[in-house]
Structures are given as structure tokens and as C-alpha cells.
Amino acid sequence: MIPAKSKAEIDIMREAGRIVAEVHAGLRELVRPGVTTHELDAWAEKKIRSRGATPTFKGYRGFPAALCTSVNEQVVHGIPSKKVRLEEGDIVGIDVGATYRGYVGDAAWTYAVGKIAPELQALMEATEEALWRAIRVARVGKRVGDIGHAVESYIDPLGYGIVRDFCGHGVGAAMHEEPQVPNYGRPGKGPRLRHGYCIAIEPMINLGVEETIVLEDEWTVVTADRKPSAHFEHSVAITRDGPLILTALDDTLARKYLV
Ligand code: MG
């Protein structure tokens, strides 16, 4: 059963998403060579709480932090640490979750640390483009398979690995709701998208192979070949007027694909 949200619920989710976007806007400035992922996490938690929200990830199945910070070969779910100091040339995927008035906003972005290699820049740009292509097809009457196909059909010819072990998801009162939103799929297949569905779309794209491994901390996901990975995510409401980007910083971007 996929829960459709009311207008009032979507309004609250937009506020939760705006808080997440504000955190990302701050992180974009803070990410630089020499900063630790713990410092980023501490700042983000303070920012989330200052907006009257709570960090969704902290305590989720025992996760210890407000952010997931995944550096280079880490795909998702990296744990912030005082020992992880970002270096020039790294890329870091940062996932932010904020719960506001009972509803979750969830968005991830991959940031360059100083100057990065062209192949990493290209990987990041392709992953972000895959996200926008997927958002564009998140419309009433389309199906979950159309979203996955939008990612897969764009990424496959580029030769990158599309992560299959993790996927996007419905989002609402819980961080993970139905449906699952894979980054691959066949057009016209899967659950039909209806007005009021809210989903997190999140391509995770690897420079090398698609396979992943979970490290001994039982959280950190790395690529099987230890090549870098990028991750971009927005929470999106499917409406009769088109996709509303809940985790956009400003309303112009949020309404970018509304007709
Ligand atoms: Mg997510």
C-alpha cells in the first residue's frame, strides 16, 4: 500500500525539505580540504535542530550521526568521524535527513573537495543529470519503471556501474515507505504513480563495477572494486501539475517541472 499525501501533508514535507536544502547550502560552503566529516555532522545537527526539526538518521537502526558522509569509494551510509579529514581531490556524498512536524525530508549531494580529477567531475555531472532526468518523468500516470529507465538509459551508455543493492524509496511520516524506486527498470512497468505520492529519487553511480560491499562497521557501503561513487538525491512529490521538488532550496527550483 502506497500512501498518498494530502495537500496539508505535502506542505509540511516541503518545509522539512527546505530545512534539508538549507543544510546542504551550508555544507556546500563548509566542504573543503582539512575539514573532518565529524565537523560537518556537528554543524548539520545544530542547524537541523535550530530549525525545529530532528536529524532523521540519528538513532535510525542505531546509526550514530545526523549525516551520512561517504568519501570516494564509499557509496552510501558512511559514518562521520573525527578521523576522516577531507583531502584535496576527494569527493564526498552527503546525505541529509530532517524530520519536521512528523514528516521527513531526505536529500543527498556529492561535493568536490578542492580540485578533483576530470573523471570524477564527469561522474558527478552524469549522476546529477540522471537525477534530473528521473525527476522529469515522475508524473501522474507514469510508473516506477519509467523513473528507473530514465536513469539506466542515460547512464548505461556512459559505461558506469549503476548500484542495484540500494535504491530510492517512498518518503513521508517514515523515511522509507513504499514503493522502492530502483535506478534501473523497464518503461511502463512497476507501480503507477498517483497524485500525492512522495518519493526519494537517488541514483548511486559507480566509476567502475556496480557491485557493492558493506564494511565491518555494518553501515559503510563501498564499491567492490574500490573505485569512486557518486550519489544525488531529491525528495519529490508527484502532483497533478507535475513533480514538486520538496528538497529544493527555493520555490523556483521546487516548482521547476510544474506545468
Ligand atoms: Mg533516501
Side-chain angles (χ1 to χ4, degrees):
M1 154 75 187
I2 302 171
K5 275 73 178 178
S6 67
K7 167 83 168 65
E9 289 177 300
I10 289 174
D11 286 347
I12 298 172
M13 291 192 65
R14 172 72 184 110
E15 282 312 303
R18 201 187 305 271
I19 294 165
V20 167
E22 289 172 9
V23 173
H24 273 293
L27 291 168
R28 184 181 293 281
E29 303 301 318
L30 291 171
V31 167
R32 62 182 194 283
V35 74
T36 68
T37 51
H38 166 77
E39 288 170 321
L40 299 176
D41 182 66
W43 178 85
E45 178 166 356
K46 213 170 145 188
K47 175 74 179 172
I48 290 167
R49 294 193 189 281
S50 77
R51 293 285 273 105
T54 53
T56 311
F57 304 162
K58 196 163 188 175
Y60 178 84
R61 295 186 181 173
F63 191 79
L67 299 179
C68 298
T69 51
S70 305
V71 184
N72 296 334
E73 78 282 5
Q74 298 176 354
V75 179
V76 286
H77 306 163
I79 301 172
S81 168
K82 290 177 179 172
K83 292 179 198 154
V84 178
R85 201 172 284 284
L86 297 178
E87 293 176 19
E88 179 95 19
D90 286 342
I91 59 173
V92 57
I94 304 183
D95 205 336
V96 180
T99 305
Y100 180 72
R101 293 177 57 196
Y103 288 87
V104 173
D106 183 9
W109 215 254
T110 300
Y111 299 101
V113 184
K115 192 166 163 41
I116 61 171
E119 64 173 5
L120 295 183
Q121 188 66 41
L123 174 69
M124 284 173 51
E125 284 172 9
T127 309
E128 183 183 345
E129 174 62 20
L131 171 62
W132 294 120
R133 285 173 182 243
I135 291 172
R136 280 205 288 274
V137 300
R139 293 175 186 276
V140 170
K142 293 280 190 180
R143 291 177 182 267
V144 168
D146 293 306
I147 293 175
H149 181 72
V151 173
E152 186 178 18
S153 62
Y154 174 67
I155 292 295
D156 248 358
L158 301 175
Y160 298 130
I162 300 171
V163 173
R164 289 168 183 262
D165 298 335
F166 299 88
C167 59
H169 49 90
V171 60
M175 176 164 53
H176 294 128
E177 297 184 349
E178 291 297 314
Q180 291 201 352
V181 184
N183 292 305
Y184 54 89
R186 290 169 58 198
K189 298 290 179 189
R192 190 180 292 277
L193 302 174
R194 298 185 192 282
H195 177 80
Y197 284 10
C198 294
I199 56 174
I201 301 174
E202 48 177 323
M204 292 155 255
I205 307 298
N206 300 343
L207 191 61
V209 299
E210 68 187 42
E211 287 80 11
T212 67
I213 294 166
V214 181
L215 296 186
E216 280 180 2
D217 63 17
E218 296 183 355
W219 279 109
T220 310
V221 177
V222 300
T223 54
D225 59 8
R226 301 301 200 271
K227 289 187 178 173
S229 181
H231 180 208
F232 288 80
E233 173 185 35
H234 269 308
S235 298
V236 175
I238 288 147
T239 80
R240 282 180 204 98
D241 302 324
L244 173 71
I245 303 172
L246 297 165
T247 41
L249 186 58
D250 60 73
D251 288 330
T252 307
L253 178 60
R255 302 172 64 85
K256 180 176 170 125
Y257 299 116
L258 293 188
V259 291

